[in-house]
Amino acid sequence: MAEKTRTPIIIDTDPGVDDTLAILLAITSPELEILAYIVSFGNTDVRAAYDNIYKLYQAIGRHIVLHPEDAARFPNFSPIVPPLLVVGPEGPLEGGRHFAQYFHGRDGLSDISERHPELNIDFGSSSFSHNFQPVKESGVEVALRLLESRPDRSITYVVLGPMTNLAQLVRQHRQTVMDKIGRVIAMAGALDVPGNTTSVAEFNVFADPYAAKELLVPTDPTSGLPLDRVILAPLDITTSHELPFPYYAQKVDPAFKSAAQPSNADGKSPLVHFTSSFFERTREIMLEWGKDALELHDIVAIWCAIENPPEINPVGGLPGMSTGWAIAERTFDIERTGEITRGMFVTDRREENTAYAPGANRAEVQAQLDLRHLGHGLLESTALPARVEVEDPGLEQRQQKGVACLVETPGPSVLLQLLTRRVWGI
């Protein structure tokens, strides 16, 4: 039987706690071929994020040295052609930089550089130094070179951070992107749920709303991404996928507690010590927010890339999906400069079947409720929205193609089992 073709991917990332776990899943997934890491600003500054790729590979390398029997569990750790490692954008297309250090720490990994100096990079180590190739080219140059070197529409570009590098690539080489890219899968946005950085904005879009708008809802219809090959994983679907910390303690590290009782490397594999070390502070922060679990936002995006390769044919002008996965076409705009709404996905709910009862027009439903003298929900408006004639037709909602947003996966428990089996061998 012929070996199944692997999906070549470019990972555009800002590691980050959940980014690092997502990259671990990618490294342990035989369905993928990692071509490059393009490291961006985002969760922390670009230099700290860049160092976290080294820390991750160092942890895996130390693990394999002590447990060579586990080498096969990391099929993308020692490839024949190592992935490229690139310093990407240091800030957004426009405006100031915003980081998520309040959650990820100054070093991007919950400040393990201070709490666990034994996990800092040992550049004299040979356990990982040949497993990726640092290059001095820009993220745009590397992405372009890789797209041009591979068959048309074979590469999946996965965005786990701000979309800045991808926007720069499309600005400079849109025709190549249109011709060559297979899929874009991005963890981005919040449609019908609150944001995670502000009340309305998801962090990756908040960090560079200009890039997100330019790619997904451009004012010029001849710009932007080919939306028939774009899948967004918004907070609406990713938030329900979790790694409960009690589960992690039960299955992976029985000694795991919090930063108040830091991980001790004795008696643990190097990889478990590494993940427990950056989970410690994360657990404390999540508990402050009322949840004893890590939300697997970026991990869902990598999982989507594993299960939904570019060769699945489009359906109705949207990406085709594997069994158990579903997308919905959503129409929205993106606020770039709002005083309190920067990064918000502003959805047009006047005729949107996913924002109300499936297939229903909100105004029609409310009219029918009134006719039948039925009560409205506590927060449900009884007003009938009317289209208002405006002087400038451009102010009216343009007829635009929606964006495919992930609305169904095989389930949080399926991802949790996959993650623990592949990353920790359990």
Side-chain angles (χ1 to χ4, degrees):
M1 182 181 292
E3 183 179 350
K4 186 178 179 181
T5 302
R6 295 190 298 162
T7 300
I9 66 170
I10 296 170
I11 300 179
D12 190 334
T13 179
D14 57 339
V17 170
D18 58 326
D19 300 69
T20 300
L21 193 55
I23 293 168
L24 268 169
L25 178 60
I27 291 172
T28 57
S29 294
E31 301 89 345
L32 302 179
E33 176 191 4
I34 304 172
L35 303 180
Y37 301 106
I38 299 174
V39 180
S40 170
F41 83 100
N43 289 324
T44 187
D45 67 87
V46 70
R47 294 295 167 178
Y50 183 86
D51 285 351
N52 289 339
I53 299 292
Y54 279 83
K55 293 175 184 177
L56 168 59
Y57 270 75
Q58 177 176 261
I60 298 173
R62 288 174 174 175
H63 179 93
I64 293 174
V65 167
L66 290 180
H67 302 279
E69 70 278 7
D70 286 348
R73 211 173 78 227
F74 303 91
N76 287 306
F77 181 67
S78 300
I80 296 173
V81 179
L84 306 176
L85 178 60
V86 190
V87 176
E90 297 186 359
L93 294 181
E94 295 184 37
R97 289 182 296 179
H98 295 267
F99 300 129
Q101 294 176 342
Y102 59 89
F103 183 84
H104 297 271
R106 291 176 64 91
D107 65 2
L109 288 177
S110 299
D111 293 325
I112 61 171
S113 55
E114 298 174 1
R115 212 169 49 254
H116 292 281
E118 73 278 5
L119 297 175
N120 289 338
I121 305 165
D122 177 6
F123 287 102
S125 171
S126 61
S127 63
F128 67 94
S129 57
H130 302 295
N131 298 86
F132 53 82
Q133 180 184 351
V135 295
K136 294 185 177 180
E137 297 166 275
S138 71
V140 169
E141 291 168 335
V142 165
L144 177 67
R145 172 154 63 90
L146 291 170
L147 288 173
E148 292 178 335
S149 71
R150 293 296 181 117
D152 291 356
R153 303 193 179 189
S154 62
I155 291 177
T156 294
Y157 192 111
V158 183
V159 188
L160 306 180
M163 297 184 183
T164 313
N165 190 80
L166 184 56
Q168 292 172 337
L169 174 66
V170 172
R171 277 186 177 184
Q172 298 174 38
H173 306 284
R174 184 172 188 264
Q175 193 56 53
T176 299
V177 173
M178 297 293 290
D179 294 341
K180 301 288 288 185
I181 206 157
R183 286 198 168 179
V184 173
I185 299 175
M187 191 281 120
L191 289 153
D192 302 318
V193 297
N196 62 356
T197 292
T198 68
S199 61
V200 295
E202 180 274 326
F203 176 75
N204 290 338
V205 178
F206 179 85
D208 194 347
Y210 292 89
K213 179 174 174 62
E214 200 166 292
L215 291 171
L216 302 174
V217 285
T219 52
D220 179 359
T222 64
S223 60
L225 287 168
L227 294 182
D228 60 331
R229 284 167 271 158
V230 174
I231 301 169
L232 290 191
L235 292 179
D236 307 62
I237 188 68
T238 62
T239 302
S240 62
H241 296 74
E242 300 175 347
L243 171 60
F245 289 122
Y247 175 93
Y248 176 81
Q250 178 189 3
K251 298 287 188 179
V252 180
D253 182 3
F256 175 72
K257 300 294 182 183
S258 67
Q261 297 173 267
S263 177
N264 188 321
D266 294 343
K268 299 180 185 179
S269 77
L271 184 58
V272 169
H273 175 52
F274 177 65
T275 55
S276 291
S277 295
F278 68 77
F279 283 165
E280 294 165 351
R281 178 59 185 147
T282 305
R283 184 182 201 181
E284 292 178 343
I285 295 171
M286 292 304 298
L287 282 170
E288 290 173 2
W289 295 343
K291 180 182 287 190
D292 195 11
L294 173 67
E295 294 170 351
L296 302 177
H297 304 298
D298 292 336
I299 295 84
V300 170
I302 291 291
W303 186 28
C304 185
I306 293 169
E307 297 287 338
N308 298 280
E311 55 262 30
I312 302 178
N313 292 325
V315 178
L318 296 174
M321 305 296 287
S322 296
T323 302
W325 297 78
I327 53 176
E329 184 176 358
R330 299 297 302 268
T331 304
F332 54 85
D333 208 331
I334 298 174
E335 178 60 70
R336 293 170 291 182
T337 59
E339 182 181 359
I340 57 176
T341 55
R342 172 190 172 107
M344 180 182 181
F345 277 16
V346 182
T347 58
D348 186 349
R349 302 181 186 279
R350 289 171 292 186
E351 294 181 9
E352 175 146 324
N353 60 10
T354 57
Y356 211 80
N361 178 289
R362 181 185 177 110
E364 292 173 356
V365 169
Q366 292 177 340
Q368 291 299 316
L369 290 173
D370 286 335
L371 284 173
R372 289 165 173 76
H373 304 287
L374 297 175
H376 295 265
L378 179 63
L379 299 179
E380 189 175 89
S381 170
T382 59
L384 300 181
R387 301 271 178 147
V388 179
E389 201 174 308
V390 293
E391 291 183 12
D392 181 3
L395 293 175
E396 177 56 88
Q397 175 72 31
R398 294 179 178 85
Q399 286 296 111
Q400 65 182 66
K401 180 175 174 59
V403 181
C405 295
L406 193 61
V407 294
E408 183 179 333
T409 74
S413 64
V414 177
L415 177 57
L416 184 60
Q417 293 170 17
L418 177 74
L419 188 67
T420 52
R421 183 175 71 250
R422 290 193 173 182
V423 172
W424 295 290
I426 296 167

